[in-house]
């Protein structure tokens, strides 16, 4: 068996890579939410001085990456890979940001699980001896996502209570061989799970089984229990999906009730009228790189299991009658 | 500097991973081309007993992966990662194939460079001690790509002579720690290069500078020369892009004229009336995993530099007036 592999789906790092810096940009709605003090840049509107939402999204990602690299103190020419993806067709936010940033680029796609997929691949490349410094990033934008996945905003469609709001924002992190906390200690790569959900306005229900599958595999492979973590954070199941995930785990004898939360619930307050909560690649990214990273640096949390979830459909295939395949990747973040 | 890193963009493996098996599926047009005897399965039509082109594409990818795994002799439950991507929005071919295959899944996006991105990440995960056996795959389909990127086929639009035909097909390879040839010895990850091209019917011209940039970086980083290779194969520049790439290299003092070819030229014969040649994720994949892999096994070629190229735009951003960012990743394949 490969020396760094544990069980079926988990990697344990021999020299756990560090997250040495993070940065976040969020839109105006997220900037009024309960985590507002954790974000580096809050936009006043959805355009960010650009002519389209797509261009604004790309600019947010580029800004987040540049801020994270600047904070890390790593000279820009020492960043060896930019690993990124987003929700837009052909991950244009990531590709166009990569064009301006100039780093060697690995494009990834995991829908809203992208942040965990990126941290996982990034940590493997750093621990594997392929790079000393890598920047990982992802983004999403409420307006560009709505028109691509659902309806143009101009239609003014009403959204059902199970719908989640795509977070407008971008997050980036620099992963490094430098000897500092927090570290990436374990990565559990998810399988695609599809329980037959078909409603693109209820992604939480669709994704919950994938989150549970990955959490169960992580605990089994690593021989850990929920007690080994200060907090297990899924993202982005929001209120509907989080309840389902918690019940499914309890059915498997895993009680996480006192230490389980979800990025889609943390990012907005109930008063903000966003229905079930947040979603989008930026949801788990800005909560992790804003709130969690900062609280880990302060020592409030020392062991976090991030389980980012993604729904892997597109509108064409849903119109062809397909159900929605989902995935979740887990990353353990620890102060050692 | 990271122990396996050479120069700015290249990795040299300490224990070069093997490609122990490959498999290819192609459509009816590719099945009449000059490489027809190298493919495992040639389809009689574009639907593959499915109800849509998208579902047919997914089925091709799944079949290619299953055949490659079967040929490799690795039990299915010992495949530790499925790394795949494709051209369709939200890489649905890869995600839906992953749902049916059941392997832990890492979705990637590099447009037509996907095969090299997948081989690169896969080899890093195997050499890095994270897995013993990984399957990498990619696919494309003429009909699904045309309607997504250009015009519905039903319109019967005329295509200009610079246009390339998206290859209908899928290719997969099993990367392993097993001690056999051919090996993946070097990987050079590309930067995004954009020379201002805007014509989605002339991708070869747009991508040529990215191919040249990556070849130059590979030679510089590895301190190799074209003489170190039996063949340098770009994919998929086709006739227009290949000529530009060759001229650009000559301007930089690199003469590859006697050992340079392109997957987009190899896959069709001039009599097939496909204009400039082939393109699509499957183009470089089926040429590499069909023709090149087989000729390496026979010993006709022993050192190949594969430089897969991708154009990273989507139709929305082209309509917003953006130029086309391109990328190329290089993978050295060697019989040691």
């Amino acid at each position: 068996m490969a020396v760094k592999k544990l069980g079926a789906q988990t990697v344990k790092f021999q020299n756990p890579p560090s997250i040495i810096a993070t940065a976040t940009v969020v839109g105006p709605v997220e900037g009024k939410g309960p985590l507002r003090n954790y974000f580096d840049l809050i936009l006043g509107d959805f355009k960010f001085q650009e002519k389209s939402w797509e261009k604004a999204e790309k600019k947010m990602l580029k800004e987040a990456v540049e801020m994270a690299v600047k904070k890390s103190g790593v000279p820009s020419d020492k960043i060896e890979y930019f690993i990124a993806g987003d929700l837009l067709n052909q991950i244009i936010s990531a590709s166009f940001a990569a064009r301006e940033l100039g780093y060697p680029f690995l494009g990834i796609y995991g829908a809203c699980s992208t942040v965990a997929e990126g941290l996982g691949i990034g940590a493997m490349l750093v621990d594997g001896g392929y790079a000393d410094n890598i920047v990982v990033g992802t983004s999403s934008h409420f307006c560009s996502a709505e028109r691509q996945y659902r309806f143009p905003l101009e239609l003014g469609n009403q959204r059902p209570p199970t719908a989640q709001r795509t977070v407008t924002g971008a997050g980036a992190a620099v992963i490094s061989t430098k000897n500092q906390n927090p570290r990436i200690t374990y990565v559990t790569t998810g399988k695609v799970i599809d329980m037959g959900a078909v409603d693109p306005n209820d992604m939480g229900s669709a994704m919950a089984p994938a989150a549970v599958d990955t959490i169960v595999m992580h605990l089994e492979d690593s021989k850990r229990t929920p007690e080994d973590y200060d907090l297990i954070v899924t993202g982005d199941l929001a209120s509907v999906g989080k309840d389902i995930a918690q019940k499914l785990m309890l059915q498997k004898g895993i009680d996480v009730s006192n230490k389980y939360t979800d990025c889609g619930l943390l990012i907005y307050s109930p008063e903000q009228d966003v229905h079930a909560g947040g979603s989008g690649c930026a949801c788990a990214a800005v909560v992790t790189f804003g709130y969690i990273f900062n609280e880990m640096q302060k020592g409030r949390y020392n062991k976090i299991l991030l389980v980012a979830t993604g729904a892997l459909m597109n509108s064409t295939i849903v119109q062809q009658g397909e159900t929605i395949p989902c995935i979740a990747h887990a990353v353990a973040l620890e102060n050692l």
Side-chain angles (χ1 to χ4, degrees), chain A:
Chain A
M1 194 166 172
V3 293
K4 298 172 193 169
K5 190 82 188 291
L6 288 183
Q9 293 174 227
T10 302
V11 154
K12 181 182 181 182
F13 292 108
Q14 290 182 337
N15 302 294
S18 303
I19 299 181
I20 57 170
T22 64
T24 50
V25 179
V26 298
V29 181
E30 296 71 22
K32 293 193 179 73
L35 302 184
R36 60 186 171 276
N37 295 328
Y38 292 95
F39 302 131
D40 295 293
L41 179 63
I42 296 172
L43 305 183
D45 64 18
F46 290 96
K47 285 280 185 75
F48 203 4
Q49 292 110 44
E50 293 287 329
K51 287 190 176 164
S52 72
W53 298 322
E54 289 75 13
K55 292 184 184 189
E57 182 176 335
K58 179 264 293 173
K59 188 174 174 184
M60 287 194 297
L61 179 54
K62 177 176 163 270
E63 289 286 322
V65 169
E66 285 176 343
M67 275 194 285
V69 171
K70 193 173 176 192
K71 284 193 205 175
S72 76
V74 176
S76 191
D77 63 351
K78 298 288 180 202
I79 298 291
E80 292 161 282
Y81 295 93
F82 173 45
I83 303 175
D86 57 275
L87 287 175
L88 295 183
N89 298 341
Q90 289 70 53
I91 60 165
I92 46 166
S93 310
S95 300
F96 279 77
R99 178 180 72 179
E100 295 177 26
L101 292 162
Y103 305 132
F105 173 53
L106 294 172
I108 59 174
Y109 182 77
C112 312
S113 73
T114 297
V115 64
E117 183 181 345
L119 286 173
I121 294 175
M124 289 194 263
L125 265 51
V126 166
D127 173 77
Y130 307 110
D132 288 323
N133 297 290
I134 286 177
V135 65
V136 172
T138 190
S139 62
S140 54
H141 192 301
F142 173 68
C143 310
S144 62
E146 282 297 310
R147 84 162 154 199
Q148 179 180 283
Y149 281 107
R150 297 175 190 92
F151 296 101
L153 288 180
E154 292 82 349
L155 275 177
N157 271 58
Q158 205 167 7
R159 300 160 69 239
T162 54
Q164 295 170 234
R165 184 186 172 90
T166 300
V167 167
T168 301
V174 177
I175 305 174
S176 172
T177 49
K178 277 189 190 156
N179 186 17
Q180 68 186 66
N181 281 325
R183 317 289 188 135
I184 301 173
T185 54
Y186 292 82
V187 169
T188 301
T189 302
K191 301 187 296 279
V192 174
I193 306 285
D194 185 338
M195 303 300 280
V198 292
D199 182 359
N201 273 313
D202 183 8
M203 293 282 100
S205 300
M207 297 189 294
V212 173
D213 190 77
T214 297
I215 292 170
V216 169
M217 289 309 302
H218 173 79
L219 296 176
E220 206 172 295
D221 289 345
S222 66
K223 305 205 189 323
R224 289 187 157 189
T225 69
E227 281 62 52
D228 287 307
Y229 292 101
D230 298 332
L231 203 61
I232 296 174
V233 193
T234 52
D236 37 357
L237 301 180
S239 59
V240 178
K242 179 182 176 256
D243 283 354
I244 295 173
Q246 201 158 327
K247 278 178 198 147
L248 288 173
M249 280 191 275
L250 213 50
Q251 284 174 12
K252 292 175 189 286
I254 302 167
D255 184 1
V256 295
S257 50
N258 63 338
K259 56 177 64 184
Y260 172 40
T261 189
D262 181 84
C263 297
L265 278 181
L266 292 170
I267 185 125
Y268 300 118
S269 67
E271 295 73 40
Q272 288 187 283
D273 189 26
V274 292
H275 302 71
S279 70
C281 297
C283 183
V286 302
V287 172
T288 303
F289 298 153
Y291 171 66
I292 291 171
F293 180 78
N294 278 288
E295 291 297 340
M296 289 192 80
Q297 283 197 314
K298 287 184 214 156
R300 178 172 160 211
Y301 298 126
N302 291 302
K303 282 183 148 195
I304 295 273
L305 187 66
L306 168 70
V307 188
T309 49
L312 304 173
M313 87 296 188
N314 74 11
S315 50
T316 306
I317 202 80
V318 168
Q319 285 161 10
Q320 292 179 8
E322 270 292 355
T323 55
I324 300 171
C326 297
I327 199 161
H329 302 298
V331 176
L333 305 173
E334 300 185 50
N335 288 331
L336 297 183

